[in-house]
């Protein structure tokens, strides 16, 4: 990752192409006007008049094109220079930080020795020199940082200059009154289009909210039915049983309310980008992302975050018509958050909130959306959501209830998403092991075979690899690695049913992987 934004190595040849194109326009003008008018031939005369019109149009647009090309060319030079200076300054900054750490450590060590010495005078004369070394190291650090900021300022100033030059090139060829009339009606059209877009967004937000509220009511009613069932079962054993059942139901209700509110009422965690593989000791780098190993990423982010941290992985590739993003979400890593929170927000509290109150945003959801914003995911960029267990729940939840992004696919494993109202234009692959109780947690009637999904939805329900069910439950079925293995065994069916998933992977093109993490 470069110190400054932008890619001067790509911009420079593109600027040269623009300049060459501007020269081609001049050549075309010359060729067209080289045709001699023939008064005797009507067809030739018509062709000549048409050439004159084209030549005049090219004459009019050439200054705009040439001015823009020259401005971008100069900006490319300035951007390249700024990047070079920033990279050199960053290298110096890394060296200066190392030197600062060494000098500060030496100064601290010397001060400790002075404090511990029986005769401090023998060492105290070395302190000024060590202090100067530490001060010089700090000055070098500040100097390198100042150089980086200076390069950034120069880059921004060059961009402003380029913008002014482009504006001047366009303004200088303004065609006057009718241009103004055209722009006026164009502005009216843009204004009306903006109103239409706002109305559409507003109505979409209303629809999303109504879906969330309806599903929240259904989930709460389902929880109440379970609590009442506990009371009813207790009542079968007389008054004492009724009291015990009511107490258990009350404790569970309080626990659920406490867990949900403790999550949704907290502020959004601070999300930062991280490089978990920067440490040279971590040599087990994951394989390049592919459609076959996409679920391996779910186990990867779980291993990177554990109970102390939440980690998401965002993969960006250059697809057939632009950028495609894959967001890999972690599963539940902290189950005892009510009895000592360790930091991960993908915990039991957010799990309960996601299932019971989809109308309320959890910390987990807010942090994921913040990570996507930091990664530069735009509202129109295609996004695939991938997750195991709670990560799959979050994937289905976003696709069902959030319309801020262009969700195109969900790949979920071991997640209860069957009843989520995911739109029919989103590809869904849901892998569920027989004997795994987790994917059935959203069952209201308990009959999964009667759930009807569109052609966009593929459910893979099979026994887990090496399954050994006891009383209908396989204790090893809810496992990220086993789900990835099952998914890969059915990859051919996934590819045949959902060919567009291939757009999110590019073995030969640009691929960028970033990680974002946060804690409560």
């Amino acid at each position: 990752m470069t110190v400054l934004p932008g890619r001067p190595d790509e911009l420079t040849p593109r600027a040269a192409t623009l300049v060459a194109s501007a020269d081609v326009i001049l050549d075309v003008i010359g060729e067209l006007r080289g045709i001699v008018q023939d008064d005797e031939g009507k067809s030739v005369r018509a062709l000549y008049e048409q050439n004159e019109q084209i030549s005049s149009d090219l004459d009019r647009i050439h200054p705009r094109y040439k001015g823009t090309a020259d401005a971008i060319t100069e900006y490319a030079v300035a951007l390249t220079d700024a990047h070079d200076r920033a990279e050199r300054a960053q290298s110096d900054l890394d060296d200066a930080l190392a030197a600062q750490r060494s000098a500060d450590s030496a100064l601290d060590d010397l001060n400790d020795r002075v404090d511990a010495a029986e005769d401090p005078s023998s060492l105290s004369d070395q302190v000024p020199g060590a202090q100067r070394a530490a001060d010089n190291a700090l000055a070098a650090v500040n100097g390198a940082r100042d150089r980086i900021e200076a390069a950034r300022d120069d880059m921004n100033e060059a961009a402003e200059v380029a913008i002014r030059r482009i504006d001047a090139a366009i303004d200088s060829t303004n065609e006057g009154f009718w241009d103004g009339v055209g722009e006026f009606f164009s502005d009216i059209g843009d204004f009306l289009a903006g109103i239409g877009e706002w109305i559409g967004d507003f109505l979409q937000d209303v629809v999303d909210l109504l879906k969330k509220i309806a599903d929240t009511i259904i989930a709460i009613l389902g929880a109440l039915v379970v609590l009442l069932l506990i009371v009813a079962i207790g009542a079968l054993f007389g008054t004492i049983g009724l009291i015990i059942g009511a107490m258990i139901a009350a404790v569970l209700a309080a626990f659920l309310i406490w867990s949900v509110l403790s999550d949704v009422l907290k502020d959004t965690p601070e999300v930062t980008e991280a490089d978990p593989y920067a440490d040279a000791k971590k040599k087990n780098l994951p394989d390049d992302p592919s459609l076959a190993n996409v679920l391996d990423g779910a186990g990867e982010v779980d291993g990177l975050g554990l109970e102390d941290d939440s980690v998401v992985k965002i993969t960006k590739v250059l697809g057939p018509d632009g950028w495609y993003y894959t967001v890999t979400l972690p599963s539940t890593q902290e189950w005892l958050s009510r009895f000592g929170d360790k930091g991960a927000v993908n915990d039991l509290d957010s799990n309960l909130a996601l299932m019971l109150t989809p109308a309320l945003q959890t910390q987990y959801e807010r942090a994921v959306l913040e990570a996507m914003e930091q990664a530069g995911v735009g509202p129109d960029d295609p996004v695939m959501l991938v997750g195991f267990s709670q990560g799959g729940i979050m994937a289905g939840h976003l696709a069902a209830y959030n319309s801020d992004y262009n969700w195109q696919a969900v790949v979920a494993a071991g997640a209860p998403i069957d009843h989520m109202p995911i739109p029919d234009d989103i590809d869904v692959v849901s892998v569920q092991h027989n004997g795994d109780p987790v994917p059935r947690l959203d069952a209201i009637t308990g009959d999964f075979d009667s759930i009807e999904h569109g052609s966009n939805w593929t459910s893979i329900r099979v026994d887990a690899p090496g399954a050994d069910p006891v009383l209908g439950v396989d204790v090893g079925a809810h496992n990220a690695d086993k789900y990835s293995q099952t998914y890969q065994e059915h990859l051919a069916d996934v590819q045949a049913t959902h060919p567009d998933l291939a757009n999110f992977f590019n073995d030969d093109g640009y691929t960028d992987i970033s990680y974002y993490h946060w804690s409560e």
Side-chain angles (χ1 to χ4, degrees), residues 58 98 107 116 237 294 398 452 508:
L58 291 175
L107 178 60
F237 298 93
V294 66
L398 288 172
E452 295 184 1
D508 301 320

Side-chain angles (χ1 to χ4, degrees), residues 263-287:
D263 185 275
V264 300
L265 294 180
K266 287 182 180 178
D267 294 334
T268 302
E270 181 180 355
V271 179
T272 56
E273 187 175 3
D275 184 358
Y277 298 101
D279 189 344
K281 296 179 181 179
K282 295 184 178 179
K283 298 184 181 297
N284 296 324
L285 295 176
D287 294 332

Side-chain angles (χ1 to χ4, degrees), residues 407-428:
W407 315 114
Q408 287 202 355
V410 171
V411 178
I417 66 171
D418 289 272
H419 289 282
M420 291 184 177
I422 299 175
D424 291 339
D425 59 347
I426 297 178
D427 284 309
V428 179

Side-chain angles (χ1 to χ4, degrees), residues 227-257:
L227 295 176
L228 291 174
L229 183 61
I230 293 174
V231 175
I233 292 174
L236 296 176
F237 298 93
T239 304
I240 298 299
L242 175 61
I243 294 174
I244 293 174
M247 290 177 62
I248 293 175
V251 170
L252 286 176
F255 179 83
L256 293 175
I257 294 172

Side-chain angles (χ1 to χ4, degrees), residues 166-286:
I166 293 172
D167 287 343
I170 294 174
D171 291 341
S172 65
T173 54
N174 195 318
E175 296 178 20
F177 173 77
W178 290 111
D179 270 349
V181 172
E183 290 174 3
F184 171 77
F185 284 103
S186 175
D187 290 342
I188 291 179
D190 292 341
F191 173 75
L192 295 176
I195 291 178
E197 183 177 353
W198 178 84
I199 293 174
D201 291 342
F202 174 79
L203 292 177
Q204 183 62 55
D205 291 340
V206 171
V207 171
D208 291 344
L209 179 60
L210 291 176
K211 285 197 299 183
K212 292 180 180 180
I213 292 174
D215 286 353
T216 297
I217 292 173
I218 292 173
I220 292 175
L221 288 176
L224 288 175
V225 169
V226 172
L227 295 176
L228 291 174
L229 183 61
I230 293 174
V231 175
I233 292 174
L236 296 176
F237 298 93
T239 304
I240 298 299
L242 175 61
I243 294 174
I244 293 174
M247 290 177 62
I248 293 175
V251 170
L252 286 176
F255 179 83
L256 293 175
I257 294 172
W258 183 21
S259 297
V260 170
L261 293 180
S262 68
D263 185 275
V264 300
L265 294 180
K266 287 182 180 178
D267 294 334
T268 302
E270 181 180 355
V271 179
T272 56
E273 187 175 3
D275 184 358
Y277 298 101
D279 189 344
K281 296 179 181 179
K282 295 184 178 179
K283 298 184 181 297
N284 296 324
L285 295 176

Side-chain angles (χ1 to χ4, degrees), residues 14 29 72 118 121 149 220 239 249 265 268 282 307 313 332 358 360 384 410 416 438 446 512 519:
R14 291 182 181 179
I29 293 173
I72 293 177
E118 294 182 1
S121 60
E149 289 308 309
I220 292 175
T239 304
L265 294 180
T268 302
K282 295 184 178 179
E307 294 182 337
K313 176 180 180 180
T332 306
L360 303 177
M384 176 166 65
V410 171
V438 176
D512 179 69
S519 298

